[in-house]
């Protein structure tokens, strides 16, 4: 077999000179040691959009991770575990990207916030919590989920008492045209906590039966649901040891909402208007 003529490339395509290899940076592997992107994504998963935007404003005003303005912002955060989470981000920022200005980190946060991606289930608690635990508190989550509703709210609780912030947020939802259904246990007089709400709110009790309505749920439209052990009482929202989850996957939330709509259907004789 004859060799290729001089001046030809090695694959025999005449007239095309061979090129020297070019140094191209290798792609970063999925196991890269850089932690900052994943920490920012986790923060976006935890906080509602308005809280992330507030942090972005602070970052845009500072030049580096040691700025006292950022320290004061972190120290002022009331949510349990949030200051620890933000301090971890600050430390990793200093270690991995010390030359990046605050505006660069703000842009990274805005990108993570705006990019559509599935949201993992989020742990919610009431009662005592360690400083490094990143779960959110029941009282704030209940208000945030109600606030996220555009068209409908479906709320179930065995007991209700006080919960002024929740009642206020429900009234605001009605004011912006959200359809509200409250499923409450009649034997606990739970409906009294919502007596001041507009007449458009529909209150439901279970029909006469040997069982009770014991579910605890706040579902916003068909995209977000908060469920757990806490009733809508002041103690359950703050002091009791309670546990719950926020779900933001419509594939899970939709059948959950459909189940409760089935319970409300008159032909099924499960719930009745109070």
């Amino acid at each position: 077999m004859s060799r290729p003529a001089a001046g030809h490339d090695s694959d025999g395509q005449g007239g095309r000179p061979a090129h020297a290899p070019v140094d191209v940076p290798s792609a970063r592997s999925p196991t890269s040691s850089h932690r900052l992107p994943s920490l920012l994504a986790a923060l976006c998963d935890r906080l509602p959009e308005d809280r992330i935007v507030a942090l972005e404003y602070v970052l845009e005003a500072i030049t580096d991770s040691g700025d006292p303005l950022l320290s004061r912002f972190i120290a002022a955060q009331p949510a349990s575990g949030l200051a620890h989470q933000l301090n971890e981000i600050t430390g990793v920022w200093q270690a991995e990207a010390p030359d990046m200005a605050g505006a660069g980190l703000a842009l990274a946060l805005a990108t993570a916030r705006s990019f559509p991606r599935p949201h993992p289930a989020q742990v919610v608690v009431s009662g005592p919590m360690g400083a490094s635990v990143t779960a959110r508190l029941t009282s704030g989550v209940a208000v945030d989920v109600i606030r996220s509703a555009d068209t409908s709210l479906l709320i179930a609780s065995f007991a209700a008492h006080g919960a002024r912030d929740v009642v206020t947020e429900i009234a605001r939802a009605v004011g912006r045209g959200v359809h509200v259904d409250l499923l409450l246990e009649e034997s606990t007089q739970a409906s009294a906590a919502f007596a001041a709400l507009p007449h458009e709110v529909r209150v439901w009790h279970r029909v006469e039966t040997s069982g009770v309505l014991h579910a605890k749920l706040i579902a916003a439209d068909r995209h977000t649901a908060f469920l757990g052990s806490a009733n809508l009482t002041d103690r359950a929202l703050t002091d009791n040891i309670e546990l719950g989850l926020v779900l933001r996957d419509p594939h899970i939330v939709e059948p959950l909402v459909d189940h409760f709509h089935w319970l409300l259907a008159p032909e099924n004789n499960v719930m009745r208007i109070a």
Side-chain angles (χ1 to χ4, degrees):
M1 180 180 296
S2 61
R3 296 179 180 176
H8 287 61
D9 62 351
S10 59
D11 65 2
Q13 299 297 319
R16 196 170 58 193
H19 295 282
V22 178
D23 290 331
V24 177
S26 60
R28 181 176 296 170
S29 72
T31 57
S32 168
S33 61
H34 286 69
R35 297 175 56 212
L36 193 54
S38 61
L39 290 175
L40 295 178
L43 187 67
C44 288
D45 285 339
R46 177 184 184 184
L47 297 181
E49 184 173 8
D50 61 328
R51 301 280 294 282
I52 295 293
V53 170
L55 175 57
E56 289 170 15
Y57 284 143
V58 172
L59 291 171
E60 288 169 354
I62 67 177
T63 57
D64 57 54
S65 59
D67 195 294
L69 178 61
L70 179 58
S71 300
R72 290 195 296 270
F73 177 85
I74 293 174
Q77 299 308 305
S80 182
L82 181 55
H84 176 87
Q85 191 174 6
L86 292 172
N87 278 323
E88 183 180 16
I89 290 173
T90 301
V92 174
W93 174 16
Q94 177 61 37
E96 293 185 356
D99 296 328
M100 181 190 297
L105 200 64
L107 179 60
L109 260 181
T111 302
R113 172 171 56 84
S114 62
F115 191 79
R117 57 195 175 92
H119 290 280
Q122 188 175 54
V123 176
V124 182
V125 300
S126 298
M129 190 183 338
S132 63
V133 178
T134 57
R136 293 193 63 199
L137 297 178
T138 303
S139 54
V141 169
V143 168
D144 285 344
V145 173
I146 295 169
R147 191 174 292 160
S148 73
D150 292 320
T151 59
S152 64
L153 272 171
L154 196 153
I155 300 174
S157 188
F158 173 75
H161 183 268
R164 183 174 302 174
D165 289 345
V166 169
V167 175
T168 298
E169 207 58 49
I170 293 173
R172 290 173 178 166
V174 174
R176 63 177 184 269
V178 176
H179 180 91
V180 180
D181 287 296
L182 295 178
L183 287 68
L184 304 170
E185 172 55 32
E186 188 172 18
S187 66
T188 65
Q189 290 80 50
S191 59
F194 305 99
L197 287 176
H199 69 277
E200 292 94 337
V201 175
R202 298 199 301 177
V203 176
W204 299 80
H205 295 320
R206 189 169 180 180
V207 299
E208 295 298 328
T209 178
S210 58
V212 299
L213 187 150
H214 203 252
K216 293 90 175 180
L217 168 73
I218 302 176
D221 303 333
R222 298 171 65 83
H223 56 70
T224 303
F226 170 36
L227 59 162
S229 62
N231 286 302
L232 294 178
T233 68
D234 290 331
R235 291 182 62 184
L237 293 172
T238 56
D239 298 330
N240 292 352
I241 295 178
E242 308 279 1
L243 180 65
L245 286 174
V246 176
L247 306 173
R248 293 189 176 89
D249 183 346
H251 291 95
I252 299 175
V253 175
E254 288 177 1
L256 182 64
V257 172
D258 287 342
H259 169 67
F260 277 85
H261 284 167
W262 181 89
L263 294 175
L264 298 182
E267 62 270 21
N268 295 321
N269 197 35
V270 178
M271 305 293 297
R272 59 178 173 80
I273 292 286

